[in-house]
Amino acid sequence: MQRRQSAKGEWIPPPGQWPVDPQQDVPVSEQRIWIDGCFDFSHHGHAGAMLQARQLGTELLVGVHSDEAIMENKGPTVMTLKERIAAVEACRWATLAVPSAPYVTSLPWITHYGCQYVVHGDDITSDASGEDCYRFVKQAGRFKVVKRTPGISTTDLVGRMLLCTKTHFIQSLQNMLAGDEGPGSEEERKSTGEAMRQRITDYATDESGLRPGSDVWYWHASRPVKERRTTQTSTSTSSDSAGKRSSTDGSGKRPSHSHRHSHSSSHHAVKEEKGTFTQLVKGKGARKGQTVVYVDGGFDLFSSGHIEFLRLVTQAEEEAGRARGWYTEEAAAERIADAGEDYGPVFVVAGIHDDEVINHWKGINYPIMNIFERGLCVLQCKYVHALIFGAPFSLSRAFLSSLPYTTPRTITPSLPEDSSAAATTTTPPNLTVYHGHTTFMPLTYDPYAVAKSLGVYKELPNHEYNNVNAGEIVERILRGREMYEARQRAKGEKNVGEEAVRVREELEREAVERERERMRREVEGQWGL
């Protein structure tokens, strides 16, 4: 079949060969926004651009470049196209992902999908020849600029992996948000903390990017309780029966062989603490009838492995909801009458561990992303409804019974945590704790023993992206280190051309402003103002 081309030589798919439906042209609307990119191990900077783009309209279409196009113009990718598409589709602000979108943004493509405007950050992106990738849409007046997320980039993350730095760690997120931790003067720290808090609020919005969505909490407890096994009795030095921890469950909890043995003393139990929950952002909260699901982990370098785990959790609870009649017309009408809108049967709460807790178990310079960055990555995921910063590595009765949203009920555990455990304990009704089931690593205890004893624990089977986690991503980087270092050097050389484009555009803006000022003064002079 003959390939259709525009006057600029761009390939225009014929009807029936567009990468995703619709196959026929869609009427162009200013409410339909286009954004495109590589979205390689999609960090919160990518999500930030999509959030700002979504706020400009009611639909957001996300073009994702092919592996081949990225290789030709930028260098090798870390994630495959399929993995990158999975990440984009999970973003709560994305309406549709469009695979294999042209690297140089194409007017025929965005017009076919009915998008009036293309959005990009205020940095310049160039193709293999050093030309602006958005030159055609800029010339057509169909380009909008949003602020680039500061302090994060794929290049920066690759640097952390290769150089094994720890300077990105946050000792206390609460102190950071309050302006009591971090570099700079007191005034600078306060400003940074306020900006971080605002970004958490922004990322906690619903699918519109404008209204409240997810709840955000911080759990206060001592570091030993967050880091180690807990018991209802006073500190124990006896060994547990051997437990096992999933190495790649989607949550990213994988203690390394070399590191965990150096912390044998940390396997000793400490007395559990109820702790306290501080709400950082108030969202929609759990609704009537929903099953509250708790998942936890590091969620480092948030990627398709984490996303698929969360998707399968949601799918399992939706199927359970269907079995109990959640999706009948009568049930939906009752929810709408009661809440003003319909909602799903599951409310997923994601607990995220502190940086030092993850580093204690995994060593080296894990986590690659700090707790703030990891939190933003999880918040942008459409399968998550609430986030708890500072969650414990090992679940205790006290923690589970004090989770927000539900009133505890008294139940009899099927398997006591230790011989002195009480005959009854409390746990929220409709609570389920999910974990992945893959290859296991032996630990001296089972971090999910309490959830199992309470009868609220469920495991998911292996999935397609089972082994895609932070460790796998770092290994991919290291295997292709020479290619990635060449990519970084090439990017540095291209930066010269990109800087020239930036300077030119800034000069053009200044010239327009000077002309406006001249005309204003001329008019004022004519009228004696």
Side-chain angles (χ1 to χ4, degrees):
M1 179 180 293
Q2 186 175 4
R3 292 162 65 94
R4 296 193 304 161
Q5 290 185 328
S6 71
K8 301 181 181 68
E10 304 162 300
W11 176 53
I12 307 172
Q17 293 192 24
W18 289 93
V20 290
D21 290 338
Q23 295 299 320
Q24 300 299 324
D25 290 350
V26 174
V28 174
S29 169
E30 291 191 356
Q31 290 300 310
R32 198 172 292 115
I33 307 297
W34 176 279
I35 190 170
D36 56 24
C38 304
F39 303 104
D40 206 8
F41 56 96
S42 197
H43 53 67
H44 68 87
H46 299 138
M50 285 192 273
L51 168 59
Q52 293 179 78
R54 178 62 177 81
Q55 290 170 334
L56 298 175
T58 57
E59 295 181 62
L60 178 63
L61 283 77
V62 185
V64 184
H65 308 318
S66 68
D67 298 341
E68 295 77 15
I70 298 171
M71 184 69 185
E72 178 183 351
N73 289 278
K74 189 175 182 179
T77 61
V78 180
M79 316 302 289
T80 66
L81 176 61
K82 191 173 182 180
E83 291 168 343
R84 292 183 286 113
I85 288 292
V88 168
E89 288 180 335
C91 179
R92 72 173 74 252
W93 305 299
T95 305
L96 179 69
V98 181
S100 301
Y103 198 84
V104 176
T105 306
S106 163
L107 283 167
W109 276 64
I110 66 170
T111 299
H112 167 78
Y113 284 106
C115 299
Q116 174 65 29
Y117 293 110
V118 174
V119 167
H120 188 66
D122 52 11
D123 55 324
I124 303 298
T125 300
S126 57
D127 60 17
S129 62
E131 294 189 85
D132 187 347
C133 289
Y134 297 96
R135 56 190 181 273
F136 300 129
V137 292
K138 286 180 178 179
Q139 291 167 8
R142 297 172 68 176
F143 185 75
K144 289 182 178 290
V145 177
V146 296
K147 292 181 179 180
R148 182 179 179 277
T149 303
I152 190 69
S153 69
T154 301
T155 303
D156 179 46
L157 292 175
V158 171
R160 294 181 192 179
M161 298 178 205
L162 297 180
L163 300 175
C164 292
T165 57
K166 290 186 179 181
T167 55
H168 58 284
F169 283 12
I170 293 177
Q171 299 297 319
S172 168
L173 181 62
Q174 282 290 85
N175 290 343
M176 194 83 173
L177 296 178
D180 297 329
E181 180 184 325
S185 64
E186 181 179 352
E187 183 178 351
E188 290 171 332
R189 291 195 301 271
K190 292 287 186 185
S191 177
T192 298
E194 290 172 2
M196 291 172 65
R197 186 179 287 272
Q198 182 60 53
R199 199 170 306 160
I200 291 172
T201 302
D202 293 340
Y203 279 61
T205 53
D206 69 358
E207 63 276 4
S208 72
L210 300 170
R211 299 184 296 267
S214 301
D215 292 345
V216 183
W217 303 82
Y218 187 87
W219 188 61
H220 303 265
S222 67
R223 179 171 169 178
V225 165
K226 290 188 175 190
E227 193 173 84
R228 294 156 59 176
R229 181 179 75 88
T230 57
T231 175
Q232 290 185 310
T233 62
S234 52
T235 304
S236 170
T237 57
S238 60
S239 298
D240 286 327
S241 56
K244 293 185 177 182
R245 185 89 177 198
S246 169
S247 63
T248 53
D249 63 343
S251 65
K253 295 181 179 178
R254 184 173 70 174
S256 65
H257 287 288
S258 60
H259 190 76
R260 61 187 173 87
H261 290 301
S262 66
H263 292 279
S264 59
S265 62
S266 68
H267 297 160
H268 300 154
V270 296
K271 185 173 175 57
E272 68 178 34
E273 297 174 13
K274 185 176 181 180
T276 57
F277 287 91
T278 299
Q279 190 162 25
L280 302 179
V281 180
K282 183 175 176 55
K284 294 182 178 180
R287 312 289 190 91
K288 180 180 177 182
Q290 284 184 317
T291 296
V292 177
V293 166
Y294 182 77
V295 298
D296 62 0
F299 297 103
D300 196 13
L301 296 178
F302 193 75
S303 60
S304 54
H306 308 112
I307 291 165
E308 185 65 3
F309 170 72
L310 293 167
R311 188 190 71 80
L312 290 173
V313 167
T314 302
Q315 178 179 287
E317 288 301 323
E318 286 177 342
E319 291 173 355
R322 184 172 288 105
R324 65 177 187 265
W326 185 274
Y327 293 102
T328 63
E329 291 184 6
E330 295 81 1
E334 183 179 340
R335 289 192 295 272
I336 293 172
D338 184 53
E341 62 179 356
D342 200 4
Y343 51 87
V346 57
F347 186 85
V348 177
V349 182
I352 299 186
H353 309 315
D354 288 329
D355 294 344
E356 292 297 333
V357 171
I358 295 175
N359 188 254
H360 173 87
W361 287 105
K362 295 191 70 173
I364 316 177
N365 71 323
Y366 287 107
I368 305 301
M369 287 179 170
N370 63 45
I371 188 170
F372 172 70
E373 296 165 340
R374 291 181 284 116
L376 295 183
C377 287
V378 174
L379 275 176
Q380 60 86 39
C381 182
K382 65 183 180 182
Y383 302 118
V384 173
H385 306 94
L387 178 71
I388 298 175
F389 285 111
F393 185 81
S394 180
L395 297 181
S396 69
R397 289 187 175 90
F399 177 79
L400 291 177
S401 65
S402 61
L403 280 171
Y405 310 114
T406 51
T407 302
R409 59 172 177 164
T410 299
I411 65 172
T412 301
S414 59
L415 180 64
E417 182 185 4
D418 55 54
S419 58
S420 60
T424 60
T425 188
T426 56
T427 187
N430 300 324
L431 172 70
T432 304
V433 175
Y434 272 89
H435 186 62
H437 173 70
T438 54
T439 56
F440 284 82
M441 284 181 156
L443 286 176
T444 58
Y445 68 93
D446 182 356
Y448 295 100
V450 169
K452 291 176 180 178
S453 74
L454 298 176
V456 298
Y457 177 84
K458 290 184 180 180
E459 282 187 350
L460 288 179
N462 294 352
H463 54 75
E464 182 179 1
Y465 303 109
N466 206 68
N467 294 320
V468 183
N469 57 20
E472 166 63 18
I473 292 171
V474 171
E475 287 175 9
R476 291 183 188 184
I477 295 287
L478 295 178
R479 285 197 300 266
R481 182 166 184 166
E482 290 185 4
M483 287 193 300
Y484 287 108
E485 288 178 341
R487 164 181 164 171
Q488 305 301 80
R489 288 194 297 270
K491 188 174 180 64
E493 292 169 2
K494 283 171 58 178
N495 280 343
V496 177
E498 292 171 3
E499 183 62 24
V501 172
R502 187 195 303 276
V503 171
R504 185 180 69 249
E505 291 191 344
E506 182 63 30
L507 291 174
E508 289 174 351
R509 283 194 292 269
E510 291 176 357
V512 170
E513 289 299 320
R514 284 197 299 269
E515 179 62 16
R516 287 176 179 170
E517 179 66 13
R518 185 193 65 78
M519 293 178 64
R520 181 185 66 80
R521 290 178 178 176
E522 184 176 305
V523 171
E524 288 176 349
Q526 290 174 350
W527 292 93
L529 299 176

